[in-house]
Amino acid sequence: MAAATVTKLGRSLQQRRTFINARVKWVGDPYLDEAVQREKNLKQLLSLKDRIVSSPSKSLPLSSLSLLKPLVNLHVTAAAFLQKHPSVFATFQPSRSLPLHVRLTPQALDLHKEEETIHLSAPHRNATVQRLAKLLMLTGAGSLPLYVVDRFRFDLGLPHDYVTSLICDYPDYFEVIEVNDRLNGGKTLALSLTSPRKSLAVSEMERRESIINGSRVQKGLHIRYSMNFPKGYELEKRVKNWLEQWQDLPYISPYENAFHLGSYSDQAEKWAVAVLHELLYLLISKKTETENVLCLGEYLGFGTRLKKALVHHPGIFYMSHKIRTQTVVLREGYHKEFLIQKHPLMGMRHRYLYLMSRSGRVKKRDYVPGVKRSNQSVDAQNS
């Protein structure tokens, strides 16, 4: 009888929602905004770079680049983008009978070769495979449509051709299968784990707690999250009180299935935060576009819960509105605008950013035919 009473009490706690009807305000964080802003155009530049070097001649006809604009998510014409970055891209004419082509400058090609060396190193490949496996394990089913994985490719640090250059070399980990797409009901290709990897089902929060306590990972611990707020940020007293109670709730691993919890209960929100925290921690940049997170959440059946968790916990997650999109940043991953955990690929990206910054004004010799050189076009590129 006593056991039954405890069970009913536990179920009651799992279904209880105590979050008060108070507005959790958004306050800009200039440091994290800078971390996002400084990478403006970087993802698009690297995508274009990868397509150029993937060609056998390591170059592409200038006329073909217009077809790449939607594929690499350019906000200006491809020709205008090239003109803006003459330190990275160079135009040349292979022969009088052939049209203008685009290739990397020697400096950019050197950076690309160094980047390739990192991608090909055994320690990096093994670490990348484990991060990717953990992402799939967050789904519960151990698989994700390739179009969802592609959304996280850049932030996970995967090579642009990861299916052929990485996945195929780890058949004991991965396989590509056909599945029913939960979002549109059709058939789609998915990346799947060949077998469960229980040894990887330990979250970063659990790993830290086991180190602090000097013991094995245990379930149901009352793990509290690190909270960091920008200078001058103040929570309402009733929100602060709720947050203290919420922090004391048992921690549920993101690798567990907790969909049995009441959708809007405090405990379910703590699990949703665990999923978000682990997802962002797996990314080498400790950030990603909010739309990527929401797409993953919709596919997994979280509905609006991940979005609400982001809004309710500005001390854990920061949402930046820079560079024409919304980016969610894991606060604990940064000290001011600098990443605390310096991944080798992030070091390479900073070197690409430095090379981009050297472009300066476009000189006459760097003129790309078909691009009007006017103040208006320059302003459009900087918007």
Side-chain angles (χ1 to χ4, degrees):
M1 187 69 174
T5 302
V6 171
T7 301
K8 288 180 180 179
L9 177 61
R11 288 176 180 171
S12 174
L13 290 172
Q14 289 176 358
Q15 305 302 320
R16 191 173 63 181
R17 180 63 169 175
T18 63
F19 186 79
I20 65 313
N21 186 22
R23 181 174 176 269
V24 180
K25 64 180 179 179
W26 177 89
V27 174
D29 188 319
Y31 292 117
L32 295 182
D33 278 340
E34 171 60 22
V36 173
Q37 178 69 32
R38 69 184 170 207
E39 293 187 12
K40 180 182 179 182
N41 294 327
L42 176 65
K43 186 176 180 180
Q44 291 88 341
L45 182 137
L46 294 181
S47 295
L48 191 56
K49 179 267 296 182
D50 288 334
R51 290 182 180 274
I52 291 173
V53 296
S54 295
S55 170
S57 65
K58 299 293 187 290
S59 67
L60 288 175
L62 183 61
S63 58
S64 71
L65 294 186
S66 60
L67 301 175
L68 297 179
K69 180 181 177 181
L71 298 178
V72 298
N73 196 28
L74 293 180
H75 298 278
V76 295
T77 65
F81 191 80
L82 295 176
Q83 184 179 349
K84 190 178 180 182
H85 301 289
S87 61
V88 179
F89 304 108
T91 57
F92 72 104
Q93 192 168 14
S95 68
R96 291 183 179 180
S97 60
L98 293 175
L100 280 174
H101 278 55
V102 179
R103 63 188 173 193
L104 299 185
T105 62
Q107 298 92 334
L109 189 58
D110 286 343
L111 287 183
H112 169 74
K113 290 177 180 177
E114 288 188 51
E115 183 184 359
E116 283 293 287
T117 301
I118 294 174
H119 279 301
L120 293 173
S121 70
H124 173 81
R125 284 166 65 85
N126 292 335
T128 303
V129 163
Q130 291 199 358
R131 283 200 312 276
L132 185 54
K134 287 170 80 75
L135 172 66
L136 298 180
M137 290 170 63
L138 284 177
T139 69
S143 68
L144 269 178
L146 284 174
Y147 71 82
V148 179
V149 178
D150 286 344
R151 281 181 167 271
F152 293 96
R153 181 194 66 78
F154 181 77
D155 299 314
L156 272 170
L158 301 178
H160 69 98
D161 55 350
Y162 69 95
V163 173
T164 54
S165 67
L166 184 69
I167 300 304
C168 291
D169 292 339
Y170 290 84
D172 53 329
Y173 268 84
F174 309 108
E175 59 182 345
V176 176
I177 60 175
E178 189 177 67
V179 297
N180 290 319
D181 193 330
R182 299 178 192 174
L183 298 182
N184 60 35
K187 295 287 186 180
T188 189
L189 292 178
L191 184 63
S192 178
L193 289 172
T194 55
S195 61
R197 297 276 171 176
K198 294 183 179 180
S199 62
L200 297 179
V202 177
S203 72
E204 175 60 16
M205 294 293 287
E206 290 175 313
R207 186 192 70 81
R208 293 176 193 170
E209 191 68 16
S210 66
I211 292 175
I212 293 172
N213 294 332
S215 60
R216 293 182 178 180
V217 174
Q218 301 177 34
K219 302 300 179 183
L221 294 175
H222 295 262
I223 302 176
R224 297 172 65 89
Y225 288 93
S226 170
M227 295 280 182
N228 300 297
F229 296 98
K231 188 176 181 180
Y233 188 94
E234 283 293 335
L235 287 172
E236 288 187 30
K237 185 177 179 180
R238 50 184 177 164
V239 176
K240 192 179 294 185
N241 291 339
W242 172 83
L243 192 56
E244 278 299 309
Q245 296 175 25
W246 179 87
Q247 284 271 42
D248 288 333
L249 289 173
Y251 176 87
I252 299 178
S253 170
Y255 298 105
E256 292 184 42
N257 184 341
F259 278 111
H260 62 280
L261 297 171
S263 299
Y264 301 103
S265 66
D266 293 341
Q267 187 67 76
E269 183 163 304
K270 188 149 189 182
W271 178 56
V273 168
V275 173
L276 284 169
H277 182 279
E278 184 72 359
L279 170 65
L280 290 170
Y281 190 83
L282 291 176
L283 309 180
I284 64 171
S285 57
K286 303 298 181 279
K287 59 181 172 59
T288 190
E289 291 184 21
T290 306
E291 192 60 35
N292 297 341
V293 173
L294 299 183
C295 176
L296 176 64
E298 185 178 2
Y299 183 80
L300 298 182
F302 276 92
T304 61
R305 280 181 280 178
L306 294 187
K307 185 175 183 179
K308 288 182 178 179
L310 290 174
V311 172
H312 290 169
H313 299 281
I316 304 173
F317 313 110
Y318 175 67
M319 287 191 285
S320 173
H321 302 279
K322 297 296 182 180
I323 60 173
R324 301 179 295 266
T325 187
Q326 191 179 74
T327 304
V328 56
V329 185
L330 182 63
R331 283 190 180 276
E332 69 174 45
Y334 286 80
H335 173 66
K336 295 186 176 180
E337 71 268 38
F338 302 108
L339 265 173
I340 294 174
Q341 211 175 53
K342 296 177 176 62
H343 191 278
L345 282 181
M346 292 304 297
M348 289 303 307
R349 290 175 185 178
H350 289 153
R351 293 173 66 186
Y352 277 113
L353 288 171
Y354 175 72
L355 184 60
M356 290 166 66
S357 72
R358 292 178 57 192
S359 291
R361 289 188 175 184
V362 178
K363 298 181 181 179
K364 186 175 181 180
R365 61 184 171 81
D366 298 313
Y367 172 65
V368 179
V371 180
K372 293 182 179 180
R373 302 176 67 186
S374 65
N375 292 335
Q376 185 178 0
S377 64
V378 173
D379 290 343
Q381 294 170 37
N382 292 328
S383 62

